[in-house]
Each structure stands twice: as C-alpha cells, then as structure tokens.
Amino acid sequence: MRRAMIGLAAAVLTVLALAAPASAAPGPSDHDAALQAALQAVVDAGATGAAGLVDNGADVSAVAVGAARLDPRRPLRVQDEFRVGSITKTVIATIALQLVGEGRLRLGDTVERWLPGMVPNGSAITIRMLLNHTSGIFDYVTDANWYAAVLANPYRYWSPEELVAVATAHPPLFPPGHGLAYSNTGYILLGLVLEKVTGQPVQDLVTQRVVRPLRLHGTFFATSARYSGPYAHGYFPPSLTGGGYLDTSAWSPSIAWAAGALVSTAPDLARFYQALLSGRLLSPVLLHEMTTTVTGPDYPGLGIGLGIWAVETPCGTAWGHEGGIAGYKSFALNDRGGTRSAVVIVPTEPDDAIGAAFQAAVDTAVCQMFKRAPSSASLSAAAPAWPAA
C-alpha cells in the first residue's frame, strides 16, 4: 500500500541540496546543448517529454524534447500548456497580498473571521499561518481514505468544503504558529477566504489580477479537465502502472483547487515570477512580507515564505516553487530581483529514475540561470507528497 501511494504521488517539496562552490560557467554556445542534454536524460529515464526555459538576464534558452502526446504522437513544445500543481500557491498568495495592500484583508485576520465554524480553533489561525504553513492544520492529501477514493474515481469533482472536511476530521499537527508542516488544506481555505472577501470565484481573481495584466496567454485556473490550447498530456509511466503509460490529463483538477489547479506554460511561469519578484504585482512592503521566510528541521535548505520558497541550490539561493499533480512535475526558480528564471516541466509522474533525472535537469537549469556550471552534487526530494489523483 505504501509503495502504491508513493508510486502514484508527485513530490510536493523538492529541495536542492547544498553543495561546494560551482566551477566556471560554460560559454553561451553551450547553454542550449547542456539544457537539451539534461532534458533528454529525463526522457531517457522514462518520461514522455521534458521542457525547460532558462533566462540568465542576457540570453534565453528554451528547449523541449520528447512527446506532448503518445498516441497519436505529437512532439512536445516549450509553449505547450501543463498542469503546474503547487506553483498555484504563489499565485494565490499574490492575490491575498494584493487584497492586504487594498485594506480588504489583513495577514493577522483569523480563519474564524472569514469562514466561521469551518475549522476547529479557527480563531487562533491567521491568514499568515495559512500562507506559510505554520497553521498546524492536517493536510487532506495524506488522508488514506480520501486518497483511495480519488484513485477509485479520478474524474470525480471534489468541492473545497469536502477537502476541508477531510482535513478537519483529523486533529491538528501542532498548536497554531508553533511548528512548520506543509499543508495543502491551508490553501484550500485561502481560496475560500479570497472568494468571501471579494465575492468572486478564484478562477476570475486569477484571470483579473495576474493572467490578464501580465498577458499570460497559456495560463488559467482550471475548473474542469479542459485546456485552452495545445497541451502536454500527463502520464504515469509503466514502472508505476505495471503496464503501459496511463494518460492522466483528463483527471479532475478539483482535487487541488486553490492548492494546485493552475495550468500554465514554461514562458508564462518565467514571466509571472519575474513580474512578481521585480515588484510589478506587489508593493515593496508586501513583497518583503512574501519573502520573509520560516524554517524547520524537516525542510533543510528551504525557507518558506508566503506562497514562495527560498531554495539553497549548488549555485546560489533561488526563489520560486515546485509543483506536482497527477502525471506532471514542475519547478520554477528565479533570482531575488526577478531578472533571471529557470523553469523545468515534465509531463510524467516521476519514478525513482525519472525523479533523479528531473532533479539533475533542475540543477542544470538553475546553475545556467546564475551563469555557473552545475556541480556534481545531486538534488534530493523531501518527504511530503502530493497525491496524483
């Protein structure tokens, strides 16, 4: 059972291991070839495809290898739409902070104020705690019965209230504000709070406040399994299915909602994080709030901010988030000023081999972003897992 759950899950947290100083950077002519080789290694490990984009502040490398669809086969493109899982959290946090800036929400507001009676001890849990995973609320994705129900019918719609009810059937992990534990439930609650504050659906807030201003033509908050343009099909590989590749791209995104239902492209993710970290979406004060991090012993090398992470990599501290949802794995990392970006997306659920190659590709992309060569140090996946419906 444990093997099946791990095999059918994408890691929520991926932490780049600290390493010795990197060697001299390769010449510009080597960038595309190095990125392509790293992505090809992911496909050689069993992924159906892999795409990457690196903007080092002077040059942009954009590479895709493998297939966007296996039958009939279509080559993968960098511009294809992907499900990007928990990268959604940075968008949700951005909108929450915009509302703080408008005086409509406060980081010290309690869950009880906006969602009375929904969460036990909600009067002690603040918006900030939801954003930086210090609330202690149980993560619904780790409920075995819910997980089994999702696997039994991956096309079923789950309401946000149902997801919260799964979580609140369990006791809290620790008193509010007295620990650190990644919780998708916190972002389901944040989505409900945003709707209560504004009177608008989350998908409309994402469109109005992020997608439209930044002209992110391949990005939207999914409320169904439909895509808006050419997309990469997500798959479980034979090593996890015991048979052939299993297409997951029509599975319901409602299992993730405000914690992970975003669809985007590699270029759009780079544009979003560059705009965010350069101050186009938030004031300096609010961006400082977002990038103020907390740490914990279970998350080495990782500082958790408000919907964003500071990740210690072999080539420097990078800012961004990881995403995982059924059949898709992604990482978007950037420099603190929003002038450099690295995005790696794989439309295949990682097994051990794919996961190791994916981590190496992220290593390559981030070091290219900082104009440094990757060291020989590997990347490691942390424990919390996102169930891939």
Side-chain angles (χ1 to χ4, degrees), residues 270 272-280 287 291 308 317-319 333-341 369-370:
F272 164 66
Y273 278 105
Q274 287 175 342
L276 175 63
L277 290 166
S278 64
R280 289 179 56 192
L287 189 56
T291 54
I308 198 167
T317 301
W319 293 83
L333 291 169
N334 315 265
D335 70 342
R336 176 61 181 81
T339 60
R340 304 165 186 256
S341 296
M369 176 184 80
F370 284 124

Short mmCIF file of all heavy atoms in Angstrom, two decimals, residues 270 272-280 287 291 308 317-319 333-341 369-370:
data_model
loop_
_atom_site.label_atom_id
_atom_site.label_comp_id
_atom_site.label_asym_id
_atom_site.label_seq_id
_atom_site.Cartn_x
_atom_site.Cartn_y
_atom_site.Cartn_z
N ALA A 270 7.91 31.86 -16.23
CA ALA A 270 9.05 32.77 -16.13
C ALA A 270 8.58 34.21 -16.07
O ALA A 270 9.05 35.01 -15.25
CB ALA A 270 9.99 32.55 -17.31
N PHE A 272 5.64 35.35 -15.05
CA PHE A 272 4.95 35.61 -13.78
C PHE A 272 5.93 35.87 -12.66
O PHE A 272 5.83 36.88 -11.93
CB PHE A 272 4.04 34.44 -13.42
CG PHE A 272 3.60 34.44 -11.98
CD1 PHE A 272 2.77 35.46 -11.50
CD2 PHE A 272 4.03 33.47 -11.10
CE1 PHE A 272 2.37 35.48 -10.17
CE2 PHE A 272 3.64 33.49 -9.77
CZ PHE A 272 2.81 34.49 -9.30
N TYR A 273 6.89 34.98 -12.47
CA TYR A 273 7.82 35.15 -11.35
C TYR A 273 8.72 36.37 -11.53
O TYR A 273 9.07 37.05 -10.56
CB TYR A 273 8.65 33.89 -11.15
CG TYR A 273 7.92 32.83 -10.34
CD1 TYR A 273 7.39 31.71 -10.96
CD2 TYR A 273 7.77 32.96 -8.97
CE1 TYR A 273 6.72 30.74 -10.23
CE2 TYR A 273 7.10 32.00 -8.22
CZ TYR A 273 6.57 30.89 -8.85
OH TYR A 273 5.91 29.94 -8.13
N GLN A 274 9.10 36.67 -12.76
CA GLN A 274 9.89 37.88 -13.00
C GLN A 274 9.10 39.12 -12.62
O GLN A 274 9.62 40.04 -11.98
CB GLN A 274 10.34 37.93 -14.46
CG GLN A 274 11.43 36.93 -14.79
CD GLN A 274 11.79 36.92 -16.26
OE1 GLN A 274 11.04 37.40 -17.11
NE2 GLN A 274 12.94 36.36 -16.59
N ALA A 275 7.82 39.14 -13.00
CA ALA A 275 6.97 40.28 -12.66
C ALA A 275 6.78 40.38 -11.14
O ALA A 275 6.84 41.47 -10.56
CB ALA A 275 5.62 40.17 -13.36
N LEU A 276 6.55 39.25 -10.51
CA LEU A 276 6.33 39.24 -9.06
C LEU A 276 7.55 39.72 -8.30
O LEU A 276 7.48 40.64 -7.47
CB LEU A 276 5.96 37.82 -8.62
CG LEU A 276 5.81 37.60 -7.11
CD1 LEU A 276 4.67 38.43 -6.55
CD2 LEU A 276 5.60 36.11 -6.82
N LEU A 277 8.70 39.13 -8.58
CA LEU A 277 9.90 39.43 -7.80
C LEU A 277 10.52 40.78 -8.15
O LEU A 277 11.29 41.32 -7.36
CB LEU A 277 10.92 38.30 -7.99
CG LEU A 277 10.50 36.98 -7.31
CD1 LEU A 277 11.36 35.83 -7.82
CD2 LEU A 277 10.59 37.10 -5.80
N SER A 278 10.17 41.34 -9.30
CA SER A 278 10.67 42.67 -9.65
C SER A 278 9.74 43.78 -9.16
O SER A 278 10.02 44.96 -9.36
CB SER A 278 10.84 42.79 -11.17
OG SER A 278 9.59 42.69 -11.83
N GLY A 279 8.62 43.41 -8.51
CA GLY A 279 7.76 44.40 -7.89
C GLY A 279 6.61 44.90 -8.73
O GLY A 279 5.98 45.90 -8.37
N ARG A 280 6.27 44.20 -9.81
CA ARG A 280 5.17 44.66 -10.66
C ARG A 280 3.80 44.29 -10.10
O ARG A 280 2.80 44.91 -10.46
CB ARG A 280 5.32 44.09 -12.07
CG ARG A 280 6.46 44.69 -12.87
CD ARG A 280 6.55 44.06 -14.25
NE ARG A 280 5.30 44.18 -14.99
CZ ARG A 280 5.04 43.51 -16.11
NH1 ARG A 280 5.96 42.68 -16.60
NH2 ARG A 280 3.90 43.66 -16.73
N LEU A 287 5.99 42.67 -0.84
CA LEU A 287 6.95 41.70 -1.36
C LEU A 287 7.92 41.27 -0.26
O LEU A 287 8.33 40.11 -0.19
CB LEU A 287 7.70 42.30 -2.55
CG LEU A 287 8.59 41.34 -3.35
CD1 LEU A 287 7.81 40.14 -3.85
CD2 LEU A 287 9.23 42.08 -4.52
N THR A 291 8.50 37.40 1.08
CA THR A 291 9.81 36.75 1.05
C THR A 291 10.46 36.64 2.43
O THR A 291 11.63 36.30 2.54
CB THR A 291 10.75 37.50 0.09
OG1 THR A 291 10.80 38.89 0.44
CG2 THR A 291 10.27 37.37 -1.35
N ILE A 308 5.84 31.28 -1.41
CA ILE A 308 7.07 31.22 -2.19
C ILE A 308 8.17 30.62 -1.31
O ILE A 308 8.10 30.69 -0.08
CB ILE A 308 7.46 32.63 -2.69
CG1 ILE A 308 8.46 32.55 -3.85
CG2 ILE A 308 7.98 33.51 -1.55
CD1 ILE A 308 8.64 33.88 -4.58
N THR A 317 21.12 31.03 -3.93
CA THR A 317 19.74 30.99 -3.41
C THR A 317 18.77 31.37 -4.51
O THR A 317 18.91 32.42 -5.15
CB THR A 317 19.58 31.96 -2.23
OG1 THR A 317 20.50 31.60 -1.20
CG2 THR A 317 18.16 31.90 -1.68
N ALA A 318 17.79 30.52 -4.75
CA ALA A 318 16.78 30.78 -5.77
C ALA A 318 15.41 30.87 -5.12
O ALA A 318 15.16 30.30 -4.05
CB ALA A 318 16.80 29.66 -6.82
N TRP A 319 14.50 31.58 -5.78
CA TRP A 319 13.16 31.82 -5.25
C TRP A 319 12.13 31.28 -6.22
O TRP A 319 12.23 31.48 -7.43
CB TRP A 319 12.93 33.32 -5.05
CG TRP A 319 13.77 33.90 -3.96
CD1 TRP A 319 15.07 34.32 -4.06
CD2 TRP A 319 13.39 34.09 -2.59
NE1 TRP A 319 15.52 34.77 -2.85
CE2 TRP A 319 14.52 34.64 -1.92
CE3 TRP A 319 12.23 33.86 -1.88
CZ2 TRP A 319 14.49 34.97 -0.57
CZ3 TRP A 319 12.19 34.17 -0.53
CH2 TRP A 319 13.32 34.72 0.11
N LEU A 333 12.16 28.48 -10.66
CA LEU A 333 13.06 29.16 -9.72
C LEU A 333 13.64 30.40 -10.37
O LEU A 333 13.78 30.47 -11.60
CB LEU A 333 14.18 28.22 -9.28
CG LEU A 333 13.71 27.06 -8.37
CD1 LEU A 333 14.82 26.03 -8.19
CD2 LEU A 333 13.24 27.59 -7.02
N ASN A 334 13.97 31.38 -9.54
CA ASN A 334 14.35 32.70 -10.04
C ASN A 334 15.34 33.35 -9.08
O ASN A 334 15.49 32.91 -7.94
CB ASN A 334 13.09 33.59 -10.09
CG ASN A 334 11.91 32.88 -10.70
OD1 ASN A 334 11.65 32.99 -11.88
ND2 ASN A 334 11.19 32.09 -9.89
N ASP A 335 16.00 34.41 -9.55
CA ASP A 335 16.80 35.18 -8.62
C ASP A 335 15.89 36.13 -7.85
O ASP A 335 14.72 36.32 -8.21
CB ASP A 335 17.94 35.92 -9.34
CG ASP A 335 17.46 37.07 -10.21
OD1 ASP A 335 16.25 37.11 -10.55
OD2 ASP A 335 18.27 37.92 -10.58
N ARG A 336 16.40 36.71 -6.78
CA ARG A 336 15.55 37.51 -5.90
C ARG A 336 15.01 38.75 -6.57
O ARG A 336 13.91 39.23 -6.24
CB ARG A 336 16.36 37.90 -4.64
CG ARG A 336 15.64 38.81 -3.66
CD ARG A 336 14.36 38.20 -3.12
NE ARG A 336 13.68 39.11 -2.21
CZ ARG A 336 12.90 40.10 -2.61
NH1 ARG A 336 12.71 40.33 -3.90
NH2 ARG A 336 12.31 40.89 -1.72
N GLY A 337 15.72 39.30 -7.54
CA GLY A 337 15.28 40.52 -8.18
C GLY A 337 14.37 40.33 -9.38
O GLY A 337 13.89 41.30 -9.97
N GLY A 338 14.13 39.09 -9.76
CA GLY A 338 13.24 38.83 -10.89
C GLY A 338 13.85 39.09 -12.25
O GLY A 338 13.13 39.33 -13.22
N THR A 339 15.18 39.04 -12.35
CA THR A 339 15.83 39.26 -13.64
C THR A 339 16.24 37.94 -14.31
O THR A 339 16.59 37.94 -15.49
CB THR A 339 17.07 40.14 -13.48
OG1 THR A 339 18.00 39.49 -12.60
CG2 THR A 339 16.70 41.50 -12.91
N ARG A 340 16.22 36.85 -13.56
CA ARG A 340 16.64 35.55 -14.09
C ARG A 340 15.61 34.50 -13.71
O ARG A 340 15.05 34.54 -12.61
CB ARG A 340 18.01 35.14 -13.51
CG ARG A 340 19.13 36.15 -13.74
CD ARG A 340 20.30 35.83 -12.83
NE ARG A 340 21.35 36.84 -12.90
CZ ARG A 340 22.50 36.68 -13.56
NH1 ARG A 340 22.74 35.54 -14.19
NH2 ARG A 340 23.39 37.64 -13.59
N SER A 341 15.41 33.52 -14.60
CA SER A 341 14.41 32.48 -14.35
C SER A 341 14.89 31.14 -14.88
O SER A 341 15.62 31.07 -15.87
CB SER A 341 13.08 32.81 -15.04
OG SER A 341 12.51 33.98 -14.51
N MET A 369 21.02 29.62 -15.07
CA MET A 369 20.38 30.90 -14.73
C MET A 369 21.35 31.83 -14.03
O MET A 369 21.38 33.03 -14.29
CB MET A 369 19.16 30.62 -13.85
CG MET A 369 18.44 31.86 -13.34
SD MET A 369 17.07 31.45 -12.22
CE MET A 369 17.95 31.15 -10.68
N PHE A 370 22.17 31.27 -13.13
CA PHE A 370 23.16 32.06 -12.41
C PHE A 370 24.49 32.16 -13.16
O PHE A 370 25.47 32.67 -12.60
CB PHE A 370 23.40 31.44 -11.03
CG PHE A 370 22.30 31.69 -10.04
CD1 PHE A 370 21.66 30.64 -9.40
CD2 PHE A 370 21.89 32.98 -9.74
CE1 PHE A 370 20.65 30.86 -8.47
CE2 PHE A 370 20.89 33.22 -8.82
CZ PHE A 370 20.26 32.16 -8.18
#
